[in-house]
mmCIF file of all heavy atoms in Angstrom:
data_model
loop_
_atom_site.group_PDB
_atom_site.id
_atom_site.type_symbol
_atom_site.label_atom_id
_atom_site.label_comp_id
_atom_site.label_asym_id
_atom_site.label_seq_id
_atom_site.Cartn_x
_atom_site.Cartn_y
_atom_site.Cartn_z
ATOM 1 N N GLY I 275 133.140 68.794 103.132
ATOM 2 C CA GLY I 275 134.090 68.865 104.239
ATOM 3 C C GLY I 275 134.539 67.467 104.624
ATOM 4 O O GLY I 275 133.894 66.472 104.299
ATOM 5 N N ALA I 276 135.671 67.374 105.318
ATOM 6 C CA ALA I 276 136.177 66.057 105.733
ATOM 7 C C ALA I 276 135.166 65.419 106.687
ATOM 8 O O ALA I 276 134.518 66.115 107.462
ATOM 9 C CB ALA I 276 137.522 66.226 106.424
ATOM 10 N N ARG I 277 135.041 64.098 106.593
ATOM 11 C CA ARG I 277 134.097 63.389 107.464
ATOM 12 C C ARG I 277 134.471 63.617 108.919
ATOM 13 O O ARG I 277 135.650 63.558 109.277
ATOM 14 C CB ARG I 277 134.183 61.901 107.155
ATOM 15 C CG ARG I 277 132.859 61.231 107.154
ATOM 16 C CD ARG I 277 133.066 59.747 107.002
ATOM 17 N NE ARG I 277 132.169 59.091 107.950
ATOM 18 C CZ ARG I 277 130.955 58.706 107.623
ATOM 19 N NH1 ARG I 277 130.521 58.905 106.409
ATOM 20 N NH2 ARG I 277 130.182 58.122 108.511
ATOM 21 N N GLY I 278 133.480 63.965 109.713
ATOM 22 C CA GLY I 278 133.765 64.177 111.135
ATOM 23 C C GLY I 278 134.188 65.606 111.431
ATOM 24 O O GLY I 278 134.267 66.003 112.588
ATOM 25 N N GLU I 279 134.452 66.391 110.357
ATOM 26 C CA GLU I 279 134.847 67.788 110.566
ATOM 27 C C GLU I 279 133.684 68.548 111.209
ATOM 28 O O GLU I 279 132.535 68.409 110.789
ATOM 29 C CB GLU I 279 135.167 68.419 109.202
ATOM 30 C CG GLU I 279 135.767 69.802 109.281
ATOM 31 C CD GLU I 279 135.933 70.416 107.876
ATOM 32 O OE1 GLU I 279 136.086 69.656 106.917
ATOM 33 O OE2 GLU I 279 135.885 71.642 107.768
ATOM 34 N N ARG I 280 134.001 69.325 112.245
ATOM 35 C CA ARG I 280 132.926 70.018 112.946
ATOM 36 C C ARG I 280 132.513 71.291 112.211
ATOM 37 O O ARG I 280 133.351 71.947 111.610
ATOM 38 C CB ARG I 280 133.394 70.429 114.349
ATOM 39 C CG ARG I 280 133.385 69.286 115.296
ATOM 40 C CD ARG I 280 133.935 69.741 116.640
ATOM 41 N NE ARG I 280 133.969 68.608 117.535
ATOM 42 C CZ ARG I 280 132.946 68.246 118.300
ATOM 43 N NH1 ARG I 280 131.837 68.934 118.295
ATOM 44 N NH2 ARG I 280 133.036 67.195 119.081
ATOM 45 N N VAL I 281 131.230 71.603 112.300
ATOM 46 C CA VAL I 281 130.766 72.880 111.769
ATOM 47 C C VAL I 281 131.212 73.938 112.773
ATOM 48 O O VAL I 281 131.000 73.779 113.974
ATOM 49 C CB VAL I 281 129.224 72.884 111.655
ATOM 50 C CG1 VAL I 281 128.722 74.233 111.221
ATOM 51 C CG2 VAL I 281 128.769 71.798 110.699
ATOM 52 N N THR I 282 131.853 75.006 112.292
ATOM 53 C CA THR I 282 132.314 76.010 113.252
ATOM 54 C C THR I 282 131.190 76.988 113.572
ATOM 55 O O THR I 282 130.319 77.249 112.738
ATOM 56 C CB THR I 282 133.511 76.817 112.692
ATOM 57 O OG1 THR I 282 133.145 77.299 111.422
ATOM 58 C CG2 THR I 282 134.757 75.985 112.598
ATOM 59 N N SER I 283 131.207 77.510 114.779
ATOM 60 C CA SER I 283 130.229 78.543 115.120
ATOM 61 C C SER I 283 131.018 79.770 115.571
ATOM 62 O O SER I 283 132.204 79.671 115.899
ATOM 63 C CB SER I 283 129.297 78.052 116.217
ATOM 64 O OG SER I 283 130.060 77.761 117.362
ATOM 65 N N ILE I 284 130.346 80.915 115.595
ATOM 66 C CA ILE I 284 131.053 82.145 115.965
ATOM 67 C C ILE I 284 131.150 82.198 117.485
ATOM 68 O O ILE I 284 130.133 82.044 118.174
ATOM 69 C CB ILE I 284 130.331 83.378 115.394
ATOM 70 C CG1 ILE I 284 130.171 83.222 113.875
ATOM 71 C CG2 ILE I 284 131.087 84.656 115.730
ATOM 72 C CD1 ILE I 284 129.389 84.319 113.201
ATOM 73 N N ALA I 285 132.365 82.398 117.980
ATOM 74 C CA ALA I 285 132.575 82.393 119.435
ATOM 75 C C ALA I 285 131.797 83.530 120.100
ATOM 76 O O ALA I 285 131.566 84.574 119.493
ATOM 77 C CB ALA I 285 134.065 82.557 119.721
ATOM 78 N N GLY I 286 131.396 83.303 121.348
ATOM 79 C CA GLY I 286 130.738 84.365 122.123
ATOM 80 C C GLY I 286 129.303 84.590 121.693
ATOM 81 O O GLY I 286 128.766 83.879 120.850
ATOM 82 N N THR I 287 128.686 85.596 122.283
ATOM 83 C CA THR I 287 127.292 85.892 121.939
ATOM 84 C C THR I 287 127.155 87.355 121.533
ATOM 85 O O THR I 287 128.029 88.187 121.825
ATOM 86 C CB THR I 287 126.358 85.647 123.149
ATOM 87 O OG1 THR I 287 126.893 86.336 124.270
ATOM 88 C CG2 THR I 287 126.210 84.174 123.459
ATOM 89 N N VAL I 288 126.034 87.645 120.862
ATOM 90 C CA VAL I 288 125.788 89.018 120.419
ATOM 91 C C VAL I 288 125.559 89.880 121.676
ATOM 92 O O VAL I 288 124.817 89.480 122.568
ATOM 93 C CB VAL I 288 124.518 89.049 119.527
ATOM 94 C CG1 VAL I 288 124.229 90.457 119.047
ATOM 95 C CG2 VAL I 288 124.662 88.090 118.358
ATOM 96 N N PRO I 289 126.205 91.042 121.778
ATOM 97 C CA PRO I 289 126.011 91.891 122.966
ATOM 98 C C PRO I 289 124.556 92.353 123.109
ATOM 99 O O PRO I 289 123.794 92.331 122.141
ATOM 100 C CB PRO I 289 126.929 93.095 122.697
ATOM 101 C CG PRO I 289 127.825 92.695 121.596
ATOM 102 C CD PRO I 289 127.120 91.638 120.813
ATOM 103 N N SER I 290 124.196 92.774 124.303
ATOM 104 C CA SER I 290 122.826 93.214 124.561
ATOM 105 C C SER I 290 122.515 94.485 123.769
ATOM 106 O O SER I 290 123.351 95.381 123.634
ATOM 107 C CB SER I 290 122.678 93.507 126.054
ATOM 108 O OG SER I 290 121.533 94.293 126.262
ATOM 109 N N THR I 291 121.277 94.533 123.280
ATOM 110 C CA THR I 291 120.874 95.736 122.545
ATOM 111 C C THR I 291 120.442 96.849 123.510
ATOM 112 O O THR I 291 120.161 97.962 123.084
ATOM 113 C CB THR I 291 119.703 95.433 121.581
ATOM 114 O OG1 THR I 291 118.753 94.626 122.272
ATOM 115 C CG2 THR I 291 120.170 94.718 120.346
#
Side-chain angles (χ1 to χ4, degrees):
R277 220 187 136 92
E279 188 185 332
R280 282 177 182 272
V281 175
T282 52
S283 61
I284 305 176
T287 51
V288 180
S290 163
T291 44

